Amino acid sequence: MMVFSELLSRIGPMATPEAVPKDTKPKETAPKDAKGCSTRIARWGAGLLTSLLLSTCLQAAELTPSTLAPSQDTAPILTLQAADHREQLSLADIERLPLHEATLQHPEGEKGVYSGVLLEDFLRAHALGDAKRLRLIAVDNYSIFLKQAQRKEKDYLLVTRFNGAPIPQSQRGPLMLVVPADEAAVLEGQEPFDKWIWSLAKINAS
């Protein structure tokens, strides 16, 4: 039977505090400040990535030329009033101009392809490009005002179609005014959409 002293000799001397060499250095660890800095950098990177993803998802809608064929519908849908004349215009009259479109989420409607003519093209075609102010009036007499300076800042689209089809009055038609460049800002609540109007029936220019 192995005696206790022989067992100790095989295991070797037990480690005691006195047996640890005095010049042995403890394992180096990262300073607390360095750890905090690493955490801040990681959080900053995550925040930056989130911002980039959001900006990618919520970009302004882009206006592009449309390939739709102009409408042949001659039923009057819009009254254009100026100081010296008054016109009743149909979908066919309006769509004689080049058509454009933008895929966007309407803040009070559906997401899809909104097609129509540029408001400035429309005004110039009717000798109203120099109009200082427009009053746009809906079928329920709700109205908005649009100054010339505001029209110069960005493109306004006079919408005549949604997803390629004429828009019935029951779906905010037959005409709308939208601002594709403001889509992302409007959806984020950073920009009001007080210049967007639907069920448009009259335009008074002065």
Side-chain angles (χ1 to χ4, degrees), residues 38 67 113 121 124 189 191:
S38 299
T67 59
V113 181
D121 288 352
R124 284 194 294 267
E191 185 79 22

Side-chain angles (χ1 to χ4, degrees), residues 113-117 157-162 167 174-178:
V113 181
Y114 290 78
S115 308
V117 302
L157 184 67
L158 182 59
V159 177
T160 57
R161 315 272 193 103
F162 176 69
I167 314 169
L175 298 172
M176 300 181 179
L177 189 73
V178 303

Side-chain angles (χ1 to χ4, degrees), residues 49-61 103-105 111 183-185 187-188:
L49 179 58
T50 301
S51 299
L52 290 173
L53 290 173
L54 286 174
S55 64
T56 300
C57 296
L58 294 175
Q59 293 179 345
T103 300
L104 57 84
Q105 171 65 62
K111 181 176 182 178
E183 179 203 17
L187 295 178
E188 291 178 326

Side-chain angles (χ1 to χ4, degrees), residues 97-171:
L97 297 168
L99 293 171
H100 294 75
E101 64 187 29
T103 300
L104 57 84
Q105 171 65 62
H106 195 287
E108 292 289 336
E110 299 180 34
K111 181 176 182 178
V113 181
Y114 290 78
S115 308
V117 302
L118 297 179
L119 181 62
E120 285 302 291
D121 288 352
F122 174 78
L123 294 173
R124 284 194 294 267
H126 295 276
L128 295 173
D130 294 329
K132 301 299 182 184
R133 190 177 75 158
L134 302 177
R135 182 185 180 192
L136 299 97
I137 308 169
V139 294
D140 62 357
N141 288 323
Y142 171 81
S143 64
I144 65 171
F145 292 91
L146 193 58
K147 297 179 180 179
Q148 184 183 41
Q150 293 172 312
R151 303 195 325 257
K152 302 298 183 183
E153 290 176 353
K154 59 195 72 175
D155 288 324
Y156 290 77
L157 184 67
L158 182 59
V159 177
T160 57
R161 315 272 193 103
F162 176 69
N163 286 341
I167 314 169
Q169 187 173 328
S170 61
Q171 296 179 14

Side-chain angles (χ1 to χ4, degrees), residues 5 8 27-28 59 66 85 96 98 111 137 166 172-173:
S5 58
L8 287 178
K27 184 179 180 181
E28 293 185 0
Q59 293 179 345
S66 174
H85 70 281
R96 288 174 183 170
K111 181 176 182 178
I137 308 169
R172 300 180 177 86

Side-chain angles (χ1 to χ4, degrees), residues 43-101:
R43 289 175 179 173
W44 176 82
L48 179 61
L49 179 58
T50 301
S51 299
L52 290 173
L53 290 173
L54 286 174
S55 64
T56 300
C57 296
L58 294 175
Q59 293 179 345
E62 182 181 359
L63 268 171
T64 59
S66 174
T67 59
L68 290 174
S71 173
Q72 302 300 313
D73 189 343
T74 58
I77 59 171
L78 178 68
T79 300
L80 182 60
Q81 177 77 52
D84 55 351
H85 70 281
R86 176 188 175 95
E87 295 181 73
Q88 295 285 333
L89 302 173
S90 67
L91 202 59
D93 294 327
I94 297 170
E95 291 192 351
R96 288 174 183 170
L97 297 168
L99 293 171
H100 294 75
E101 64 187 29

